[in-house]
Amino acid sequence: MKPDDEVAAELAQLAAEIHEHRRRYDVDDAPTISDAEFDALFARNAALEAEYPHLKRADSPSERVGSAPAANFGKIVHARPMLSLDNAFDEADVAEFIGRVRRFLRLAADEPVRLTAESKIDGLSASLRYEGGRLVSGATRGDGTTGEDVTANLRTLDDIPERLPAGSPDIVEVRGEVYLGKADFLAFNQAQIAAGSRIYANPRNFAAGSLRQLDVAVTASRPLRFFAHGWGELSAPLADTQSDTMAALAAMGFPVVADLTVIEGVEAATAAYRAIETARSALPFDIDGVVFKVDRLDWQERLGQVARTPRWAVAWKFAAEQATTRLLAIDIQVGRTGSLTPVARLEPVGVGGVIVTNATLHNEDEIERKDVRVGDIVRIQRAGDVIPQIVGHVTPEAEHAALEPFRFPTVCPECGSAAEREAGEVRRRCTGGLICPAQRVERLRHFVSRRALDIEGLGAERIVLFFEAGLVSTPADIFRLKDARDTLLEWKGFKPTSVDKLIASIDARRSPPFDRFLFGLGIRHIGEDRAREIARSFGSWEAFAARMTEAVERLRSRRAEGPALGEIPERHAARIAVELAEVIGVTRIGGEVAEALTDFFAEAHNTDVLDDLLGEVVVAPVERSAVGSEVSGKTVVFTGTLTTLSRDEARAQAEGLGARVAGSVSAKTDLVIAGEGAGSKATKAAALGVRVIDEAGWQAIVDAAR
């Protein structure tokens, strides 16, 4: 097994990469890696978490669905979460999925498990809400909890009924995919080429970009379509099974895929997969796999969900498409935290109808492992989106041996500072900090990005332009751009209307929400989810800043007692980090995050920049987290034999209510649920004065929280 520090570092890097790629896919509609490459990152993260569960991060990619909605649109909170699907890649994965369902429900060996099988549409997820038979709202998936309000845009789709038939339930939420047909996509791109305008890489990006238009007329002018594949809130059930409910939705006027069938067993699932895969090229729309769902809805209810995915469904993804091309160069890009990322420049090649020229190589270990060299003929694969994964080289051995191995730089290509790789880190980082122009520019770009302050009209290109002109070097300078209005008007392409619109957009962000502001600061390990968790824990920036002052004082006092944190034994450094986490006091915050926060606030140049910024903005508070149930935040233990549900189901219920499930009883235990034959744990709980209830008592707690 690897040392914990190495695993923790890799999990941190994976979390950052996966969250960034999700943002590019869900928010920007501009992914930079293939589906296959993203799935590989996610699978690696899941494997490490399974092997090292004690190192699982609070901002783990396995705990979230998508990305936060863009600030350009209003927000809609989904009545029921819009989940993502777990992936399967072969027959064995589907067999394991069925096995997990059997084990969770404690089914007899001869109990049939019927599944529905249907094409997985490659589009943009959307939710439609009907009240009293009328369409009242429509939203994108967003982060699974909150989506973008695109009601007006969705009303322009002919496939979406404005009214439901008489007799429909009072509340009906329909979930599905907005997509574009292949023929319509090709016709649009041909027209764009003729007009000398932008073309889209694939139908999914086109559909996403078309639906998320601020000008509804643009959406209306594009031939978007809709397929229903599920539902959210229903005031009354439509049927007892997945298949019959989908038939009911079709009868209400919603398009559903024609290939939906009910099957039983792994062999039938494989046959359904092969049949849909064979028909794929003849379909008038893009699909990227086959979705299997447990047909019985009462079983779906019992199975529930784990983090971002339902236990009752899985998507068997199609294999990646491959091609070969020549590796022309490996460029090094410097990110906002100083990380050096290698990017492969490829001789243009078509893969699955898309011309690709770039590939992400992740880090120096990846280059060494695959032994790719500039000049190699490389095999690439693509599964659904634009930038492919390099599988390896296929250059004849003699020719490959004559090529110069790639030497990863040990100095920053932007500022010349040393580029160091700390123990356990998978990336090399520039040590130049804010003297590195790349990092300063990337931090500014991050600050104004969609997930942070989301300043309309201030994109990456303009940030670079203003930085190079000396107008913007810190976040506060952005809010002082109005003082440079006359200067901007002298520049080519800057007209009074556009300059005033930019200044107005900046002024509109002078009261950013606490979570977006914190995320925008670009503090290492503080991703979007972590920033939201911290903001909801404190409510106001002032309360958080006061707690950080206390944490910094604790850090300085501990460092004054001995050598610097990085120079003392690892176990003591870890203890200090844990103490900092306790001082900060955020649920589930780790020592790594606590140390990153206190290090940031302990640096004078950071607090100077922050104080300057707070002179220009007022951070808006957010609603603090509410207690969700009687056992929210408490530690519970199940012991004995449970007769009405499996141990997995009980754990899922407890975690869903916000409780922590422990395996042993201690003084920190808050509640013990004792099933039949409960022994030493129940006895120990009684001796410690811990509350003990039976299975019926636990069910009462679950029912009360619903």
Side-chain angles (χ1 to χ4, degrees), residues 596-608:
L597 281 168
T598 46
D599 280 344
F600 177 87
F601 281 91
E603 291 290 342
H605 67 266
N606 288 333
T607 53
D608 288 345

Side-chain angles (χ1 to χ4, degrees), residues 95 103 114 119 125 183 200 244 256 278 325 397 409 426 448 485 489 541 553 562 648-649 698:
R103 292 191 296 272
R114 293 186 178 88
S119 297
S125 298
Y200 284 84
D244 287 344
V256 300
T278 300
T325 188
E397 193 55 42
V426 296
V448 302
R485 182 179 184 277
L489 291 176
W541 174 265
E553 291 174 354
D648 285 342
E649 191 171 356
W698 171 250

Side-chain angles (χ1 to χ4, degrees), residues 61-129:
S62 62
E63 297 289 342
R64 66 171 298 177
V65 176
S67 297
N72 294 335
F73 294 91
K75 297 179 181 179
I76 290 180
V77 177
H78 302 303
R80 294 181 62 180
M82 290 187 71
L83 303 175
S84 183
L85 293 177
D86 201 3
N87 289 330
F89 298 99
D90 53 32
E91 188 173 344
D93 288 344
V94 176
E96 173 58 24
F97 163 69
I98 296 174
R100 286 197 305 269
V101 170
R102 285 189 173 281
R103 292 191 296 272
F104 191 95
L105 298 176
R106 297 169 67 177
L107 300 179
D110 59 350
E111 179 81 29
V113 177
R114 293 186 178 88
L115 307 173
T116 59
E118 62 186 296
S119 297
K120 183 177 182 294
I121 309 299
D122 193 13
L124 180 73
S125 298
S127 179
L128 311 170
R129 184 177 178 87

Side-chain angles (χ1 to χ4, degrees), residues 337-356:
T337 61
S339 61
L340 273 58
T341 302
V343 178
R345 306 302 182 191
L346 306 170
E347 193 171 273
V349 62
V351 186
V354 174
I355 302 299
V356 295

Side-chain angles (χ1 to χ4, degrees), residues 73-74 85 183 224 237-238 268 317 330 350 373 385 427 441 490:
F73 294 91
L85 293 177
L224 298 178
L238 300 177
K317 303 291 284 289
I330 299 177
R373 308 178 184 186
D385 276 299
R427 286 192 182 274
V441 168
E490 296 174 0

Side-chain angles (χ1 to χ4, degrees), residues 240-258:
D240 295 329
T241 64
Q242 177 80 26
S243 52
D244 287 344
T245 302
M246 293 307 299
L249 290 178
M252 294 165 72
F254 296 98
V256 300
V257 292

